[in-house]
Amino acid sequence: MRTILIGDIHGCADELEALLARTYAAGDRVISLGDILDRGPDVRRSLDLLYQVRAEGILGNHEDRHLHYQKYTELPAPNPVQLNTHHLKTRSQLLPEDWPWLACMRSFIRIPEHNLIAVHAGILAGVRPEHMQASKLCRVQLTKPDSSASPWSDWEFDAQGEPRLGGFAGQDLARGYRFWTDWWQGPEHVVYGHTVFQKPRLTEQNGVKTFGIDTGAVFGNSLSALVLPEWKTVSVPSRREYCRRVPGE
Ligand SMILES: [Mn+2]
């Protein structure tokens, strides 16, 4: 039995189908790293494909937002969560039976047989994921070794996977922030999504590895998976650019 961990899908059902065709066999364990919803063409079929392989889901910031909004629809108070056109399109494709599945998404999954933690965005330096809020685990990018996280999430990487020295990223780097993997000491390896790279980004320090596998499927690049026990990344190209990248969205 293999374990197949899949990066941010964002409604890219054709790419998910192609990726599963290349990686999945009956009995394999499939884990989505979250951000299945929003931006892309077919959220409905993406969820159905995941259900067919009995996938487990890790909470992404997009699911977190929808769940937060949904909670307020049951309350008399005004809903404090703002939805844009992408969010509304997603809501129109969701069925009542999706909500329990989304609500059961875990904020991280430990895979002890591979000494691996799977998470949507990242883990703060020196902190166990058990001691972090779900809302942080699905949003962390730049951090400091004192475990503070940058409030900014709209900075970018260059083609080599290094933070661009400009804008908020430049200011944050000057203030001592680094991408969270720079501080990660293990002892577990970590696989994560959320931050878009041109190709899977692997780091290794003292035998501890991190794998960034959000390769921007919805932005026209590719959808990627990490396959265990081979520790092999597999990427399928996107059919097209479904969504223009807008920093901060
Ligand atoms: Mn995300």
Side-chain angles (χ1 to χ4, degrees):
M1 187 186 96
R2 290 141 81 231
T3 302
I4 300 160
L5 300 126
I6 301 177
D8 300 34
I9 297 164
H10 282 303
C12 293
D14 288 343
E15 290 76 6
L16 176 59
E17 190 169 36
L19 186 62
L20 288 170
R22 276 195 50 189
T23 54
Y24 176 78
D28 286 345
R29 182 182 190 188
V30 178
I31 299 174
S32 157
L33 297 184
D35 279 6
I36 300 158
L37 311 179
D38 297 334
R39 295 181 176 149
D42 203 336
V43 164
R44 173 75 264 135
R45 200 159 68 85
S46 301
L47 286 167
D48 289 337
L49 285 164
L50 290 171
Y51 297 160
Q52 279 170 27
V53 296
R54 299 179 197 283
E56 297 158 69
I58 292 174
L59 184 80
N61 51 303
H62 284 258
E63 287 81 28
D64 190 44
R65 187 183 192 94
H66 280 280
L67 287 163
H68 197 195
Y69 182 92
Q70 183 68 3
K71 189 176 73 185
Y72 275 93
T73 63
E74 293 151 16
L75 299 174
N79 202 315
V81 183
Q82 305 271 326
L83 298 186
N84 64 24
T85 53
H86 292 303
H87 303 135
L88 292 170
K89 187 180 164 198
T90 290
R91 274 185 73 81
S92 74
Q93 296 178 67
L94 294 178
L95 299 171
E97 53 265 38
D98 293 321
W99 290 106
W101 191 80
L102 294 170
C104 287
M105 291 176 111
R106 291 157 65 182
S107 56
F108 66 95
I109 293 179
R110 285 187 178 275
I111 307 172
E113 63 270 32
H114 297 299
N115 190 32
L116 178 70
I117 301 172
V119 66
H120 178 63
I123 307 173
L124 290 172
V127 180
R128 301 284 77 202
E130 286 83 355
H131 298 154
M132 276 181 67
Q133 292 176 326
S135 60
K136 277 260 173 72
L137 287 162
C138 69
R139 290 181 176 87
V140 160
Q141 289 181 309
L142 291 181
T143 67
K144 282 185 180 178
D146 66 0
S147 297
S148 56
S150 165
W152 305 111
S153 62
D154 56 352
W155 51 285
E156 294 190 1
F157 286 94
D158 64 20
Q160 280 70 50
E162 296 305 318
R164 274 189 210 283
L165 295 175
F168 296 130
Q171 293 172 31
D172 278 342
L173 294 172
R175 285 156 52 215
Y177 287 101
R178 304 288 299 274
F179 194 59
W180 70 269
T181 59
D182 286 3
W183 311 115
W184 182 251
Q185 305 271 328
E188 304 89 347
H189 310 296
V190 182
V191 60
Y192 64 97
H194 187 60
T195 298
V196 176
F197 304 105
Q198 286 297 110
K199 54 183 193 217
R201 176 181 184 262
L202 167 65
T203 68
E204 181 162 4
Q205 277 188 86
N206 304 319
V208 174
K209 295 177 182 175
T210 69
F211 299 82
I213 61 167
D214 179 1
T215 46
V218 78
F219 302 116
N221 191 37
S222 66
L223 182 66
S224 295
L226 176 67
V227 181
L228 305 174
E230 294 90 346
W231 296 93
K232 173 182 78 174
T233 56
V234 178
S235 300
V236 297
S238 300
R239 296 212 173 158
R240 63 182 186 88
E241 181 186 55
Y242 300 103
C243 179
R244 187 54 55 89
R245 258 191 108 173
V246 180
E249 249 197 11

